Each structure stands twice: as C-alpha cells, then as structure tokens.
Amino acid sequence: MRALSLSLRCVLSLTCAGLLASAAQAADNKVLNLYSARHYQTDEALYANFTKQTGIRIQRVDADDAGILARLKSEGTSSPADVVLLVDASRLWRAEVDGLFQGIRSPVLEAKVPAQLRGKDSGQGSPWFGFSTRARMVIYNKQMVSKSDVDTYEKLANPKLQGKLCTRSGSHPYNLSLFGAMTERLGAPATENWLKGLVANMARTPKGGDTDQIKATASGECGVALVNSYYLARMLRSNKSEDRDAVEKIGYLMPDQSGAGTHMNIAGGAVARYAQNRDAAVKFLEYLASDSAQAYFADGNNEWPVVKTVKITNPALDSFGAFKTETTPASVIGMNQVKVQQMLDRVGYK
C-alpha cells in the first residue's frame, strides 16, 4: 500500500524521482551521501575500505569548499547530504555559523580528536571534527635568502625581503586561516601592519597555487614563499626529475619554533544538518578517526593524522622532523576570517 500511495503521489508531483529515490534509500539504509572537497586519488581507497568494513556504499559529490557550502545552502531541507568533508578551518567555521551542520556526541571522536581541532560545542555536541592537519611552511631560495631571515612569519614583513616574497591569493582559505591565527597572536592592529609589510615585499602579484610558489622559488623568481606542507611533501616524494631539481634548490622550515609554533590548518568532516542517514554518517566520521583511515591521510596524502598514536611511515613527513605547533583552536581562527578579509582589502593584498 505504501508503494502504491507513493506512486500515486508521484503522478501528481514534479519531484517523483526524488521521492522514489528517498524511499529506496530509506528501505536500504546502506548508502551514505558524501559531499567532499577532498580531491585526492588516494582517498578512493579510504572510502572503499569503509564500504568493505561496513557494507555501506558511498555516493559522492565532489566540489571545492565554496561550491559545497553554496550547494548545501541552495538545497536547504531537501539536501541529500549526510556527511560533508572540507579542507580548511575557515570553511568549517563558516558552515558551522551558517547552520549547515548538526552537532553530534561520539565518545570515539571525543577521545581521539583533540579539543582544539573540533567545532564549538553549544550543548548539542561538536558540529565538526578535524581528521588531518597541514603545516603552513616557509620555503626559500638558498642562493637568495638566509634561513635566519625567514624563520618566523613576522620576519616575512621585514623590508630586507622587499621584492622577494611570493604567495597565492591573500583571500585563499589557506592564507585566511594563517592570517586568522596571526590576528589571535598579535592582535588586529599589529596583524594589519604585518600584512602591509607582506604586500610591500611581494615579488609579484599573488597568483597560482602552492606548487606554483615552490617552482617560482626554485627558479629564483621568488626568494621566499608560503606553502602548505603536503604540496612540498608531494614533490619530495616525486620521481619526476623537474620536481627533484626544484626541491634541491630550496630550503624549507617550520616557522616560529621559538614562539607560538607553526600554524596548522585542518581537513575535517561533519554530519550535514538534514542528514537522512545520521547513524551511518556518525559511523563514517568515527571510521575517519580509526588507525587505518588515519594512515591513509598520512601515507596517501602527506597529511599529519590527528590521532597521535598512529604511526607515520611517510618519509617526506619524517623529513620535516618534530616541531612545535600552535595551540589556538581552529574554531577561533575561523572566527577571525571576516576581520582578516577586511584588513586584506584595506592593505591591498590581492
């Protein structure tokens, strides 16, 4: 009778396909709808392993962070999303503020994911959890710049580096997160003055991605640049001769080892606000905190796992050595992004 009733409704409704799909999914409950900003080939094995362990099939929609947030907003209560994966603290915070996630309580996640790598618990549980981290590193051309002149983020604004600094767009989430962390460390006035110094030291108008910054620094177009660690690790592990030649020409370091520590950005996940498969979604997030999944992040995509007991066997990550990391909560860094964007506009950081 239910099937007949649903069929009659479909005759009268423009959403027939959606109703039938929802009914089939509810009957099965073995499908998880994933919206992912992670575009890494190694993640295919990550997802396949989850299906093998649980029997839950993953249906994935891929887009960048901004595209996923826009889609969730436009879909509203009709969104099929169960889990959302994003690759930046500022985007996770924005989705939290916009009410696109639902808080969850999970003893597994709360035991494994450090408190500073979770969203703010407002009484309903954490709205998101970080599962891997990346360092915002400094690289430099060894023939043009001395290591001691670039071993802190603040030194990048020193006039002696005029005409030597390269970055991607200041408004890119990776930089927004770093600048949000600096705002928390220095205060807004000092951070804005620091950003002015960065603009004054630019070798070129900000452009390209982090791999482009590495190559431009190796070629001598730039003397120093900011990059996320997993881009550099990827080149360190590459068999391509041009990649090997590039990394031989640069030095790299984790900034602020005598101060607040190196800024760490995160990739994280959440249960979508209108998830129809909530239990499966929580199970998937708990799986991402398992030792096997955390090993995929480290060995497959050159990210540091958030679960500290997981053994890392990635030689590129090992080559970075032990280093001091910042302790500012990712949610606090995200909260600063609006203020940071206003500062970038005032100082002319493109």
Side-chain angles (χ1 to χ4, degrees):
M1 291 296 293
R2 175 175 171 77
L4 177 60
S5 173
L6 183 55
S7 296
L8 290 174
R9 288 171 61 197
C10 287
V11 172
L12 301 174
S13 172
L14 294 177
T15 61
C16 177
L19 287 170
L20 290 173
S22 297
Q25 181 173 312
D28 187 358
N29 200 30
K30 288 292 186 179
V31 174
L32 184 73
N33 292 307
L34 170 65
Y35 282 17
S36 177
R38 295 182 61 88
H39 307 139
Y40 315 121
Q41 291 182 348
T42 52
D43 283 358
E44 296 294 337
L46 181 73
Y47 304 142
N49 191 47
F50 173 74
T51 299
K52 182 178 180 180
Q53 288 185 20
T54 65
I56 300 172
R57 182 167 54 88
I58 293 177
Q59 293 185 156
R60 195 167 86 244
V61 171
D62 289 325
D64 60 15
D65 287 324
I68 286 175
L69 299 190
R71 179 166 181 158
L72 288 170
K73 290 178 183 178
S74 66
E75 291 174 339
T77 58
S78 299
S79 177
D82 295 313
V83 171
V84 180
L85 297 182
L86 301 176
V87 293
D88 174 73
S90 64
R91 299 294 194 191
L92 287 162
W93 174 83
R94 172 48 59 191
E96 174 187 346
V97 170
D98 289 344
L100 301 178
F101 301 153
Q102 58 176 284
I104 63 169
R105 295 204 179 281
S106 163
V108 172
L109 294 173
E110 290 163 7
K112 291 189 173 185
V113 180
Q116 70 268 25
L117 300 181
R118 306 180 211 155
K120 184 178 180 181
D121 185 343
S122 299
Q124 303 299 316
S126 297
W128 54 265
F129 295 82
F131 292 106
S132 61
T133 64
R134 307 94 173 269
R136 200 68 176 143
M137 300 178 67
V138 167
I139 63 167
Y140 58 96
N141 184 295
K142 291 184 287 188
Q143 300 300 315
M144 298 172 62
V145 173
S146 297
K147 179 179 180 179
S148 60
D149 289 335
V150 293
D151 59 5
T152 72
Y153 296 116
E154 288 184 76
K155 286 183 179 180
L156 299 181
N158 191 310
K160 71 165 54 178
L161 296 177
Q162 187 173 6
K164 294 181 179 179
L165 176 65
C166 286
T167 73
R168 66 196 307 162
S169 168
S171 296
H172 189 277
Y174 296 163
N175 281 336
L176 285 178
S177 290
L178 170 61
F179 302 157
M182 295 300 289
T183 301
E184 204 62 25
R185 298 183 191 188
L186 305 176
T191 300
E192 184 165 337
N193 189 57
W194 174 69
L195 290 171
K196 286 181 183 177
L198 297 188
V199 172
N201 284 346
M202 291 293 177
R204 63 184 187 187
T205 301
K207 64 178 182 179
D210 284 5
T211 301
D212 298 307
Q213 314 311 317
I214 296 171
K215 293 179 178 179
T217 302
S219 72
E221 181 180 4
C222 316
V224 59
L226 287 164
V227 301
N228 264 14
S229 52
Y230 77 95
Y231 290 97
L232 178 57
R234 187 184 299 165
M235 292 184 71
L236 288 170
R237 298 178 74 181
S238 173
N239 291 322
K240 295 179 180 179
S241 59
E242 59 268 31
D243 290 341
R244 292 198 301 270
D245 291 343
V247 296
E248 286 179 1
K249 295 175 182 176
I250 64 171
Y252 50 87
L253 58 88
M254 299 295 180
D256 287 12
Q257 291 305 287
S258 297
T262 297
H263 168 63
M264 306 295 289
N265 205 339
I266 64 173
V271 177
R273 181 176 179 179
Y274 302 109
Q276 297 298 305
N277 301 303
R278 188 178 189 279
D279 290 346
V282 173
K283 185 177 292 186
F284 180 73
L285 295 185
E286 290 176 344
Y287 161 74
L288 293 183
S290 68
D291 285 3
S292 61
Q294 289 282 291
Y296 277 116
F297 291 128
D299 299 331
N301 199 51
N302 305 301
E303 301 169 276
W304 281 278
V306 300
V307 179
K308 300 305 180 186
T309 56
V310 174
K311 181 176 177 57
I312 296 176
T313 58
N314 183 323
L317 294 182
D318 285 342
S319 72
F320 295 145
F323 60 97
K324 181 180 180 181
T325 63
E326 69 184 1
T327 58
T328 305
S331 58
V332 173
I333 293 172
M335 288 170 57
N336 286 333
Q337 67 171 314
V338 174
K339 188 185 303 182
V340 167
Q341 186 60 65
Q342 293 170 346
M343 289 190 282
L344 292 173
D345 293 341
R346 286 195 293 267
V347 303
Y349 200 135
K350 303 298 184 181

